[in-house]
Amino acid sequence: MGIRVGVLGPVELRRGDTVVPLSGVPQRIVLARLALAAGRAVPVADLIEALWESGPPENAIGNLHSYVSRLRRQAGADVIRREPGGYRLGLPRGAVDAERVEQLAAAAGGGDPESAAAALAEALGLWRGEPLADLADRLVFAPDVARLAELRRHLREEWLDLRIAAGAAAGALPEIEALATAEPLRERAHLLLMRALHVTGRTPEALAVARAYRERLTDGHGVDPSPAMGRLQQRILADDPALRPPERETARPADADADAGGGAAVRRRNDVDGGQREARDRPDDAVGGQREARGRPDEAGGGRGVALRRRADRFFGRRDELAAVRAALAAGPVTTLVGPGGVGKTRLVGEVLTGDELVVELAERSVPADVAAAVAGALGLRTAPRGGVAALAERLGTAPATLVLDNCEHLLTPVRELVGELIAHCPGLRVLATSRQRLDVPGERVLRLGPLPAEDRVALFCDRAALLRAGFTDDARSRELAAEICHLVDGLPLAVELAARRESVFGLTHLRDRLGAGLNVLDPARGGDRSTGVAATVEWSYRLLDPDAQRLLDRLAVCRGGFPLDALPYFTPSGDADAEALLAELVDASLVTADPPRYRLLETVRLVAVGHLGAHDKRAADGRRGADGERAGDGGERGARDAHARWMLALAAEMVERCRDRDPWAYAAMRRELPNLQEALAWLIRRNRDDGARLAAMLSVIGADSPDPGLTEQLAGLAPARVSTGSEVLLAVAAGTAEWLRGHLAEADRLLTAALDRMPDDHWLRWAALLIRISNGMFAGRPDAVRADAVRMAADAGSPAWARATGICCSALMDAYGGDTAAGRAWLERYAVHLDTEHLDGFVPFTRGELLAGTDPERALAWYDRSITASDRVDLIYTGHVARVARAAALIRLERHAEAVGACRAALVAVRSANMTAQVWTMIRLTAELVAALGDRAAAATLVAAADADPMAPAVMGPDRDRLAALRTGVPALPPLTGAAAAADLALSCLAKADGSGTAGA
């Protein structure tokens, strides 16, 4: 029995026909927010904001997880799905009543009036009262309440309109009268009332409605009704036969209705409040004007609509964008669909077209006069001479019509002038344009089209690849490789389709590798134009820029992962034009995507622009000048990358300074700019080793608390062959930190010790090297070395307070792990003056929990929770994960097995994702304890044996030795495992089996 969610009334969860009771307001809030997201993932931050409007409590994330868990128990585990950064409602389209309403409304768009009215009646029947009635007082839902309430009014008006059109005006009249009484200022309601009264023989009353409405609006508000009311009044006075619905028994077939303006082609321009109802109110005029406009081009051979005819191949995704284009056409005179080349603007417009539009393709037009000439051809005129806008306007007249102008970016000025004149003289005209820049016409509505979402781009790739190669296998592995390929080309539909063509030549793996080196593999071998090559379509936009904007774009191409506004000064030497104005030009040209405060070049654009930098460098080597007279050596890749590196060095220095105070900004900045930081590090190591070593060392300080697997591997590769110079000391610290994270404890100790032996006592990074050597010594099981370094840290006034506290705590932990918790507590008491750091991070409460874990695990759990809260508050990944590992251990020792299964799986996935190798092995050992307690002793022994055999697994101390020894003996052996990856996979599989989910969750 299917799960359904209701928001059109009090929030409701149903299983089949049974209402599932919800236990409280928080569950209703979470369910409503997920249901209103239309299948998209809702970020955790948005859910927290919805739950606690006045500010979240300290354990907001934990409370949210609790609410979600309860909902999952009631709705099913697969209904609410965890996504990166949030949650998503995993229900089919239409399982939420608001979505079902949209489906029925869409179905009503193309049918005859009777069937369309029936569909809308069904949609209206889904309302159970005011939308979100039990949450309407929550400000966060105010926009949704308003939207759904307005949707209900609009659908009710559409339904009544259709009943009039179907010849049922008499039956609809009482409800229309009630609607007009309830909405005394809503023009659409009064237009419906006038029509219903007129067609039922009560024309004087219909005219009285118009007079009363005009007086009410003029006297009470000082405004006049829209022209639609005046036109309807004149048609009623003239007894226009078109206002009379056809007899039911002689109703025309669906195709005749479409020609007569009774279907979607007429309704597409109706807006919500009924002020733009001319198409419905004047069906004959609309039909006549559109028939004339679209009939003559066919006779004269004009009109260039062939390029926009709907293609035979499948169209993927873009549901929201299609709806937005249709809504924009209904709401205003000019809509421009803007986006980078290859993003699919023309194809999207082709899906919107109904066949009634005047389509003008401008891609092959090259001079301003061509614009008017092309429009003239679409209208069936032989010519449109200079100043011939009047002739075009006369031909279009006042009847409703839609003019589509495709590919306007290279003729912006003439298109802007023509469109401005036409909409001024043709009140019924709607213009839909596609361009890489907006037209900048008054009243223009701009819709920006971005790359395809991940799921749709993969579906497109696989569909096209299967068409070109009969043996293409659409399985999980193929889709995984296809996702990587689509990511490399930014999800641009043109690039995805070109890549799918190359799949039949290279295969998925080789194609992915070729694309990683550049886009040349997608370009045609010979011939072709900007519609057949990705690089060519980017170059088309590039040539439309002025030279200053071109230079800035080229320099920004060295940025990976985007950039903020404050990075611009690094890329704009003195004498250049205003940088922000140039950036605005690049955004307008769809070459830079804007998501303020971040800006980004699509990878396809970036690779082309990097090619321009390479051409700069080649001209510099040849001593030649560029086409604009600029000396080639003044620019180029080296200059751009040096500027980029200066930006990253300044940012890294600020991050380290803020790290001393545990400012969460530092860790967020690290993750935000990680691609740029890694790019700059690779450049500096080749170009300027001293600066490269300095950047590597600074990144290791932040990376130790907020580890990233890619950065860890990059830093580990920088280990110097010897450690003697200042730069080699810094590289040894960076690589030693990475080796500690990777679990190579002996190599980490060698590098860190070599660095510390050559560091003066006042070295700016001495405290960080000491801290990592302390942590490394803990995992290696060397208590004396840990204690000696902790004493050094405590005496170093230059160390941050939290670092001194961490060193002291590590020494206490060595006592606890060795079985002497009393000594650990005495050590903490001795250095208590240094331990007031819970406002900075969660390591001290973690340590207090560890000291209690053996004797009072319940109290230990409370300390672990405090540690996780404190760590999450300042965005510390490492300490938070360590506390989660300890919390899972406490649950196991308390024999709270059901909770322990979930905690172990979450902690193992987290530390594995962060490449925290020592903690991965710790979690594997803990999982062995748990699955043994649950009855699977063979798997437990296998996991312990894998940890015993791996030199990267941390040393086992104290009571843990006895616990693990008990798991090794007297158990039938499974096939041996090698390495952490295989052991972690087995552990996750055992945990999945334990809770019956059937999935490892990794």
Side-chain angles (χ1 to χ4, degrees):
M1 302 177 73
I3 294 293
R4 289 178 291 158
V5 179
V7 293
L8 302 179
V11 177
E12 183 179 74
L13 178 66
R14 281 182 173 268
R15 181 179 287 107
D17 294 328
T18 304
V19 175
V20 179
L22 298 173
S23 59
V25 172
Q27 283 184 279
R28 297 175 184 275
I29 291 172
V30 172
L31 182 61
R33 179 47 67 215
L34 295 175
L36 291 166
R40 296 184 293 272
V42 180
V44 167
D46 290 358
L47 292 170
I48 289 175
E49 181 184 3
L51 284 163
W52 296 284
E53 292 181 330
S54 59
E58 284 192 5
N59 194 28
I61 293 178
N63 290 343
L64 170 61
H65 291 170
S66 174
Y67 301 146
V68 171
S69 296
R70 292 176 198 166
L71 274 176
R72 281 176 167 159
R73 286 196 293 269
Q74 292 166 307
D78 59 338
V79 172
I80 301 177
R81 299 176 182 175
R82 188 73 166 92
E83 302 279 347
Y87 293 92
R88 179 171 65 84
L89 203 61
L91 293 175
R93 181 78 177 164
V96 177
D97 54 7
E99 294 176 355
R100 178 59 181 157
V101 164
E102 292 175 2
Q103 290 177 333
L104 291 166
D112 62 89
E114 282 190 88
S115 60
L120 290 187
E122 182 182 348
L124 289 167
L126 294 175
W127 261 270
R128 295 171 287 108
E130 293 301 315
L132 299 165
D134 47 352
L135 300 177
D137 60 334
R138 314 280 299 193
L139 289 177
V140 71
F141 289 110
D144 301 291
V145 171
R147 176 178 62 83
L148 293 171
E150 182 58 36
L151 175 63
R152 186 182 192 182
R153 294 190 194 97
H154 172 59
L155 293 180
R156 187 182 180 194
E157 290 166 349
E158 285 288 304
W159 174 60
L160 294 169
D161 196 341
L162 287 165
R163 292 181 68 188
I164 296 173
L173 187 54
E175 189 160 354
I176 296 174
E177 289 178 320
L179 176 63
T181 301
E183 303 272 9
L185 297 178
R186 195 171 175 90
E187 184 171 293
R188 176 80 182 280
H190 291 78
L191 291 171
L192 290 170
L193 181 56
M194 290 168 63
R195 288 177 57 202
L197 288 168
H198 173 64
V199 300
T200 54
R202 298 163 63 181
T203 299
E205 293 176 63
L207 297 173
V209 168
R211 287 193 299 272
Y213 181 77
R214 183 180 300 276
E215 291 170 1
R216 187 182 309 118
L217 215 58
T218 303
D219 295 343
H221 302 277
V223 296
D224 291 323
S226 76
M229 179 161 282
R231 285 193 292 268
L232 179 59
Q233 190 172 1
Q234 292 299 317
R235 295 173 67 201
I236 289 173
L237 286 169
D239 198 17
D240 186 341
L243 292 176
R244 306 282 182 182
E247 295 294 331
R248 294 195 187 196
E249 62 272 17
T250 59
R252 292 167 293 176
D255 55 350
D257 284 342
D259 272 2
V266 172
R267 285 197 297 274
R268 68 184 180 274
R269 284 192 291 270
N270 298 341
D271 63 19
V272 171
D273 67 5
Q276 301 290 334
R277 299 294 298 177
E278 183 178 2
R280 180 70 58 79
D281 290 338
R282 301 186 64 193
D284 281 358
D285 288 357
V287 173
Q290 289 187 4
R291 279 179 177 159
E292 180 182 5
R294 68 175 181 264
R296 295 189 177 180
D298 294 337
E299 296 165 9
R304 297 178 57 84
V306 175
L308 292 184
R309 285 179 183 166
R310 187 164 293 159
R311 282 166 41 178
D313 51 14
R314 290 180 61 194
F315 180 74
F316 288 89
R318 303 294 198 202
R319 183 183 63 190
D320 292 343
E321 290 89 340
L322 284 167
V325 172
R326 293 182 177 116
L329 280 172
V334 181
T335 300
T336 305
L337 195 59
V338 171
V343 80
K345 302 182 293 294
T346 298
R347 179 66 193 270
L348 182 67
V349 170
E351 295 297 314
V352 172
L353 299 185
T354 65
D356 295 331
E357 299 83 357
L358 307 166
V359 179
V360 179
E361 170 57 66
L362 296 175
E364 304 305 322
R365 303 287 181 159
S366 57
V367 297
D370 283 350
V371 177
V375 176
L379 287 169
L381 298 172
R382 292 179 177 271
T383 62
R386 184 175 295 276
V389 175
L392 299 177
E394 182 180 354
R395 176 54 60 93
L396 287 167
T398 60
T402 300
L403 173 63
V404 178
L405 301 174
D406 192 35
N407 291 299
C408 300
E409 56 273 350
H410 59 304
L411 294 168
L412 284 177
T413 300
V415 169
R416 180 186 305 122
E417 294 172 351
L418 177 66
V419 170
E421 289 291 327
L422 289 179
I423 62 174
H425 292 90
C426 306
L429 180 65
R430 294 287 185 269
V431 176
L432 174 59
T434 72
S435 177
R436 299 181 195 182
Q437 290 182 248
R438 66 181 187 275
L439 302 185
D440 205 17
V441 176
E444 176 185 22
R445 187 179 297 268
V446 177
L447 301 179
R448 292 197 175 272
L449 193 62
L452 280 171
E455 184 177 341
D456 292 331
R457 66 180 69 165
V458 171
L460 172 62
F461 180 95
C462 293
D463 177 80
R464 301 302 192 258
L467 291 175
L468 293 164
R469 184 165 68 88
F472 179 80
T473 304
D474 187 357
D475 57 14
R477 178 56 181 161
S478 295
R479 285 183 167 257
E480 181 181 332
L481 289 168
E484 295 181 44
I485 290 168
C486 294
H487 176 73
L488 288 169
V489 297
D490 296 313
L492 295 175
L494 170 63
V496 171
E497 295 206 42
L498 292 174
R501 294 180 196 174
R502 295 295 186 263
E503 189 280 334
S504 63
V505 178
F506 298 108
L508 287 167
T509 302
H510 189 50
L511 176 60
R512 178 198 60 188
D513 296 340
R514 288 285 303 274
L515 282 171
L519 300 173
N520 294 342
V521 68
L522 299 186
D523 289 335
R526 61 178 63 87
D529 55 24
R530 67 187 180 90
S531 66
T532 58
V534 177
T537 197
V538 174
E539 285 288 352
W540 168 262
S541 294
Y542 183 85
R543 289 195 299 268
L544 299 177
L545 300 172
D546 67 43
D548 285 335
Q550 290 177 346
R551 278 193 292 272
L552 179 59
L553 181 69
D554 292 344
R555 292 169 185 151
L556 292 173
V558 299
C559 297
R560 279 191 182 273
F563 56 91
L565 282 177
D566 56 16
L568 287 181
Y570 291 94
F571 298 97
T572 51
S574 58
D576 276 9
D578 180 72
E580 292 187 7
L582 292 176
L583 178 63
E585 182 177 344
L586 296 175
V587 172
D588 282 345
S590 299
L591 289 166
V592 171
T593 60
D595 186 14
R598 299 288 294 177
Y599 301 84
R600 185 174 72 90
L601 278 69
L602 293 176
E603 188 67 9
T604 48
V605 175
R606 201 186 71 80
L607 289 173
V608 170
V610 167
H612 296 156
L613 290 174
H616 262 292
D617 288 338
K618 187 177 186 305
R619 288 199 300 271
D622 296 342
R624 292 183 283 120
R625 293 180 180 270
D628 59 359
E630 177 195 26
R631 180 74 179 177
D634 295 341
E637 184 172 5
R638 284 173 296 187
R641 290 197 180 278
D642 284 342
H644 179 259
R646 288 193 296 274
W647 170 36
M648 289 294 100
L649 282 165
L651 177 67
E654 185 178 2
M655 287 192 298
V656 170
E657 187 60 32
R658 294 204 190 192
C659 170
R660 294 179 63 87
D661 297 326
R662 280 301 203 222
D663 186 339
W665 176 91
Y667 310 106
M670 168 83 158
R671 288 192 289 277
R672 184 174 60 247
E673 299 297 354
L674 189 59
N676 280 315
L677 289 163
Q678 291 187 260
E679 188 86 355
L681 178 59
W683 170 256
L684 285 173
I685 290 297
R686 297 194 306 269
R687 175 91 169 153
N688 184 330
R689 195 165 179 81
D690 288 345
D691 282 343
R694 186 158 56 94
L695 181 59
M698 290 190 289
L699 294 182
S700 72
V701 173
I702 313 297
D705 287 319
S706 184
D708 173 81
L711 178 63
T712 299
E713 295 302 313
Q714 188 177 11
L715 294 175
L718 301 180
R722 63 181 187 279
V723 182
S724 57
T725 67
S727 292
E728 288 164 352
V729 166
L730 294 176
L731 289 173
V733 172
T737 302
E739 296 294 11
W740 163 66
L741 284 168
R742 296 168 80 196
H744 296 160
L745 306 183
E747 179 65 5
D749 184 69
R750 183 188 72 81
L751 289 166
L752 293 165
T753 298
L756 283 164
D757 287 348
R758 287 158 180 79
M759 276 184 176
D761 289 345
D762 60 350
H763 192 283
W764 64 277
L765 206 57
R766 184 173 179 272
W767 67 270
L770 272 173
L771 187 60
I772 300 303
R773 190 166 70 171
I774 289 171
S775 300
N776 194 69
M778 284 183 62
F779 296 135
R782 294 197 297 270
D784 292 340
V786 170
R787 186 178 294 273
D789 279 346
V791 171
R792 286 191 200 178
M793 284 282 290
D796 184 359
S799 300
W802 62 266
R804 292 196 298 273
T806 301
I808 293 162
C809 287
C810 287
S811 182
L813 289 171
M814 293 306 291
D815 291 326
Y817 297 154
D820 190 353
T821 55
R825 283 194 289 271
W827 182 259
L828 291 188
E829 290 172 6
R830 177 179 174 184
Y831 288 98
V833 68
H834 294 294
L835 301 183
D836 185 18
T837 59
E838 192 172 342
H839 62 289
L840 296 175
D841 66 21
F843 202 78
V844 171
F846 161 75
T847 303
R848 297 196 186 281
E850 290 288 83
L851 292 174
L852 288 167
T855 57
D856 192 348
E858 284 286 0
R859 285 180 61 201
L861 276 177
W863 281 109
Y864 295 144
D865 286 338
R866 285 179 64 170
S867 175
I868 292 168
T869 299
S871 300
D872 289 349
R873 184 172 62 245
V874 293
D875 211 10
L876 290 178
I877 290 176
Y878 185 88
T879 305
H881 285 355
V882 167
R884 288 178 175 90
V885 170
R887 187 177 188 280
L891 290 170
I892 293 171
R893 310 287 152 70
L894 286 167
E895 298 185 358
R896 288 158 57 173
H897 293 155
E899 292 177 74
V901 167
C904 283
R905 183 165 52 186
L908 179 51
V909 169
V911 296
R912 194 183 190 188
S913 298
N915 203 25
M916 294 166 59
T917 305
Q919 286 73 27
V920 170
W921 278 118
T922 299
M923 281 309 310
I924 289 169
R925 285 168 170 156
L926 288 172
T927 301
E929 284 189 51
L930 177 59
V931 299
L934 294 173
D936 194 348
R937 293 186 57 81
T942 303
L943 293 173
V944 173
D948 291 343
D950 197 300
M952 295 171 63
V956 181
M957 302 170 60
D960 287 339
R961 288 196 188 100
D962 297 334
R963 274 191 285 264
L964 293 175
L967 301 179
R968 293 186 181 98
T969 56
V971 180
L974 294 177
L977 299 173
T978 302
D985 286 342
L986 174 59
L988 288 167
S989 177
C990 291
L991 292 169
K993 189 185 301 181
D995 74 355
S997 69
T999 175

